[in-house]
Amino acid sequence: MASQLALSTAGDIQHDAPPASCKVVLAQTVAKSLLSEVQDNLKKIGRSPLLVGFLANADPAARMYADWTARTCKENGFAYQLREVDKEDLEEAILGANHDDSVDGIIVYFPVFGGGQDQYLQQITTMSKDVEGLSHKYLFNMYQNIRYLDPQTKAQKCLLPCTPLAVIKILEYIGVYNTILPYGNRLFGKTITIVNRSEIVGRPLAALLANDGANVYSVDITGVQHYTRGVGIKMKQHQVHDTDFKLEDVALKSDVIVTGVPTKSYKFPLEFVKDGAVCINFSSEKNFEPAIKERASIYVPAIGKVTIVILLRNLLRLIENREGAKRAIQN
């Protein structure tokens, strides 16, 4: 996860001026709007929450993400510690931080071992400190469209994975979400294509957008899947259907195209973008050619800085949830 998040910040720095027909929205602009909410919630806590990052690899992308996290924490009144450990010692280090009351949140910079062992490491971080929202309970609730850990009292909101939530916040910022509609249905009528179905970003993002009412097509090398709550979004949660569609079949009718292909040579075909579409890239590579600005109405070339603000937002939510749990016990 950290690899994808870290490298996505590389595109946040400089971009060519677009034609007047296309608005380029930079991640830092959206991040600033979110930081005001973060600062307001930080004031309510009255202290500097401690985020601990564990780095157990030599991946330059993970190092970059750790550096960005440290800088953002320092600039915004959060405490941050980077703990570099051998990968053989990582499990014990995470368990120790789980039981350390001074630690408010934990992030592990992956990959470490790769494959199933990394998935195991994601699950040993206690849910109350899982700032990335990767614990089984969070993921289960996300796919089931359950938005609270305590649906009866609604004092503890579920955390969502940082990069998918960053894309959602960008879509809210640029007005793709229709605020006239009820919360949870605000993408009704929108068609979205996502070129990425990773377990870290693409698949969760498709589920979240479909749960908010969108008609979502998830594309990877195996084909196209359709995520939907059905006609009139009458279903409580999304369903997934395999299709025989090709990329051009779904992209050409999409209001939004989101790409996350971590390959330098990949470029989304311009001829598959309908006039006026919104195009967002969360990959570390530039998935769109510069000519996308001649076709898209809004273009977001990178999302890294938004992702890191979401990390801080999630950290504050963890603290709020712990306080909510304490109040529930007292009552």
Side-chain angles (χ1 to χ4, degrees), residues 1-7 65 107-111 122 131-134 160-164 200-201 307 311:
M1 175 179 181
S3 300
Q4 294 182 13
L5 301 180
L7 289 177
Y65 185 40
I107 177 173
V108 180
Y109 297 104
F110 293 103
Q122 289 173 2
V131 76
E132 296 182 280
L134 296 176
L160 297 174
C162 295
T163 301
I200 296 294
V201 184
T307 302
L311 193 71

Side-chain angles (χ1 to χ4, degrees), residues 299-327:
Y299 173 46
V300 184
I303 72 167
K305 290 185 178 178
V306 180
T307 302
I308 296 176
V309 174
I310 294 298
L311 193 71
L312 301 184
R313 187 174 180 270
N314 276 359
L315 178 58
L316 293 174
R317 179 147 292 165
L318 288 174
I319 296 171
E320 293 168 4
N321 282 353
R322 287 199 292 270
E323 293 300 318
K326 289 179 183 178
R327 289 193 297 270

Side-chain angles (χ1 to χ4, degrees), residues 254-273:
S254 292
D255 305 293
V256 179
I257 295 173
V258 183
T259 60
V261 181
T263 304
K264 191 171 185 178
S265 61
Y266 178 83
K267 302 297 178 186
F268 191 90
L270 183 63
E271 63 269 24
F272 295 170
V273 180

Side-chain angles (χ1 to χ4, degrees), residues 7 21 33 52 65 94 136 147 174 197 215 228 236-237 242 244 263 276 279 283 312 318 328:
L7 289 177
S21 60
S33 69
V52 170
Y65 185 40
I94 294 172
H136 174 75
R147 306 197 177 208
I174 62 181
R197 202 184 302 141
N215 192 38
T228 177
K236 178 183 176 183
Q237 66 197 63
D242 291 325
D244 295 325
T263 304
C279 295
S283 172
L312 301 184
L318 288 174

Side-chain angles (χ1 to χ4, degrees), residues 193 217-220 223-225 243-253 272:
T193 291
Y217 293 101
S218 172
V219 182
D220 72 357
V224 178
Q225 289 184 335
T243 78
D244 295 325
F245 293 139
K246 297 180 180 179
L247 174 62
E248 56 265 37
D249 298 328
V250 298
L252 281 167
K253 60 183 179 182
F272 295 170

Side-chain angles (χ1 to χ4, degrees), residues 12 16 20 24 33 61 88 98 104 145 167 170 181 238 247 249 283 288 321 327:
D12 289 349
D16 297 333
V24 174
S33 69
E88 290 79 9
N98 282 346
D104 293 295
N145 201 16
V167 174
I170 290 169
L181 296 176
H238 75 282
L247 174 62
D249 298 328
S283 172
F288 292 100
N321 282 353
R327 289 193 297 270

